[in-house]
Amino acid sequence: MAERTPLLNYRLYTAPEPASSSSGGGSRARIAGQQPPPKKLSTFFGVVIPTLLSMFSVVLFLRLGFVVGQAGLYQSILMFIVAYFIISMTVLSVCAISTNGALDAGGAYYMISRALGPEFGGSIGIMFFFANICGSALYVLGLVESLVDIFGFPLTGQTTSSTQVLPQSYWYGLLYGTVVLLLCLLVCLVGADLYAKASFIIFLIVILVLGTIFISFFVVSPKSINITMSLGNTSEASFTGFKLSTLKSNLPPDYVEDYTTGKIMNFAAVFAVMFNGCTGIMAGSNMSGDLKNPSYSIPRGTITAVIFTYIIYNILSLMISCTCERLLLQKDYDFLKDINVWPPFVIIGIYASTLSAAMSNLIGASRILYALAKDDIFGKLLMPAKKTSRSGNPWAAVLISWVLVQPVWHWNGPPHQISGQPFVTSPGILVCWGSLAVGS
C-alpha cells in the first residue's frame, strides 16, 4: 500500500526498509547517523513566548488607543470577538492536525502537506512563507516609526528634547530599518537556542512594561497632555483618571479623520488595523522542528497564548476607555507613554516587542522555506535553501528570507511625513500589511 501513496513521488514519504538479520546492524547505524539534531525547546519557550510576543507587537503599544478612540468601546470589543473567532478556527485546525502524527520542521506547511498532500501543502506553504516575510517588514516599519518619532530630529529644526538627535529622511529611514533587520539576521543565524533566549528576555521586558501600564492607570494623577495636530498646530487632551463620564463618552463609535492620512476612518479600516494585533498565532507552529514534543506543545502553547492576549486586550481597552478622553486617543498614538509612571518604559516595550515579532517572522519564514526545499516541492529552484549548519540550523534559508524582507521593506518605504507630522506610518499602510500577513 505504501508504494501507491502520492507522497512517495514527491519524496514526502519514505517506505520502510525490510528488516534483515544480516543488515540490521548496518541499517541501525545508518539511521542513527541520519538522526536530526535533538530538539531543545519546551512548550513555554518554543510556543507560548514566540506567539505572545508576535501578538503583543506594535499594535498593543501604538494602535490600541487609536482603535478605541475611533470605534468606541462597544465596537472595539465586537472587533476583538470577531477577530478572535476567526483566528480560533485556525488555531483549532492547527491543533487537530498537529496531534495527528509526528511533526518536523516546516510548521503549517509540514502539517498540511502530510495531512492533505503535497499539492495543498506546497501552495499553502509558499503563501505562509511570503506572509511571514511581509509580517517581518510590518514590524520593522512599526519599530522605525516609533524610533524616528521619539528620537528623530524635527524637520522644523526646533528640538524639544535633548534625545532628538536622529536625522530624518527617506534614506535614513531605510538605513534604520536595514540595521534592525541585520540584528534580527544575526540572532536567527546563530539558531533557535539563541532566539529562544533572546525571546525570553524580551518577554520579561514586555510583561514588566505591561505591568507599569496597568499600574499607571491607578497611580498617575489626572493631567492635560499637549498634542501636535496637523500642520504643526497644538491642542490639549486630558488623562482624567477613572471617571464614569469618560467611560460613557468612549462607549459609542466616533469615526473621524485620521491625523496621519487625512482620511475618514470606518469600521473596516479600523478592524484591519486592529487585526494585526491578533495575527502571529503561527509563530509557535513555525518552530515545530525545534521543539521537544511538537504534537504536545503546539496546541497547548498556542491556545494559552491566544486566551492570554484576548484577556489583556479587552482589559486594557476597558481601562483606556475609563481614563482617557476621546481626543487623546484619536490624536496621539504615543499616549501610553505620556501617561506612564516612567515614559521610557513604554518606549522600551515598543522596541522590544516589535524586534521580537520581526525576528519571529524571519525565523518562521526560514523554517518554512527549508521544509519546502527539503521536500523538493519546487525542484532545484530551492536547492540552496537545504544547507544547514552542524547544529541543524538552516542558515541558507535564513539568509534567503532576510534578503526577501529587504526589498519588501524598501518597496513599502520607511515611515514618511504626512500633513506636517513627523515620520509616521499610517494606518493605511498597516491595513495593507495586515491583509498580506494574516497567515502569519
Side-chain angles (χ1 to χ4, degrees), residues 43 78 96 161 163 188 258 271 276 285 311 319 341 392-393 404 420 431 433 440:
T43 302
L78 176 62
S161 173
T163 61
C188 295
D258 176 66
F271 179 78
N276 284 285
S285 301
I311 294 173
M319 299 183 77
V341 289
N393 184 41
L404 290 176
V431 168
W433 283 119
S440 64

Side-chain angles (χ1 to χ4, degrees), residues 200-215:
F200 180 65
I201 295 174
I202 294 175
F203 171 75
L204 294 179
I205 294 173
V206 171
I207 293 300
L208 175 63
V209 173
L210 276 176
T212 64
I213 290 175
F214 283 113
I215 292 173

Side-chain angles (χ1 to χ4, degrees), residues 275-336:
F275 193 76
N276 284 285
C278 304
T279 59
I281 56 175
M282 301 301 295
S285 301
N286 290 338
M287 301 298 295
S288 59
D290 300 288
L291 299 173
K292 291 179 180 178
N293 188 353
S295 296
Y296 174 89
S297 299
I298 290 175
R300 289 164 176 79
T302 305
I303 292 175
T304 299
V306 167
I307 293 174
F308 183 78
T309 56
Y310 178 76
I311 294 173
I312 294 298
Y313 275 131
N314 280 276
I315 293 178
L316 191 55
S317 297
L318 176 61
M319 299 183 77
I320 288 173
S321 301
C322 293
T323 57
C324 300
E325 282 187 350
R326 181 67 67 101
L327 182 64
L328 179 63
L329 302 179
Q330 293 174 338
K331 302 298 182 181
D332 186 7
Y333 288 160
D334 294 326
F335 79 99
L336 288 177

Side-chain angles (χ1 to χ4, degrees), residues 102 236 243 248 301 362:
E236 281 193 356
K243 282 189 175 181
K248 289 181 178 179
L362 180 60

Side-chain angles (χ1 to χ4, degrees), residues 36-105:
K39 300 174 177 62
K40 303 175 181 179
L41 304 181
S42 63
T43 302
F44 183 70
F45 286 96
V47 181
V48 176
I49 290 180
T51 306
L52 280 176
L53 292 178
S54 293
M55 299 181 74
F56 273 162
S57 56
V58 63
V59 175
L60 175 67
F61 297 103
L62 293 179
R63 292 295 185 268
L64 190 58
F66 162 82
V67 172
V68 176
Q70 295 283 348
L73 181 61
Y74 287 150
Q75 289 194 8
S76 296
I77 293 176
L78 176 62
M79 288 181 183
F80 284 120
I81 293 174
V82 173
Y84 274 82
F85 175 78
I86 294 172
I87 66 173
S88 294
M89 298 300 100
T90 304
V91 170
L92 293 178
S93 299
V94 169
C95 293
I97 299 175
S98 64
T99 55
N100 196 35
L103 294 180
D104 202 350

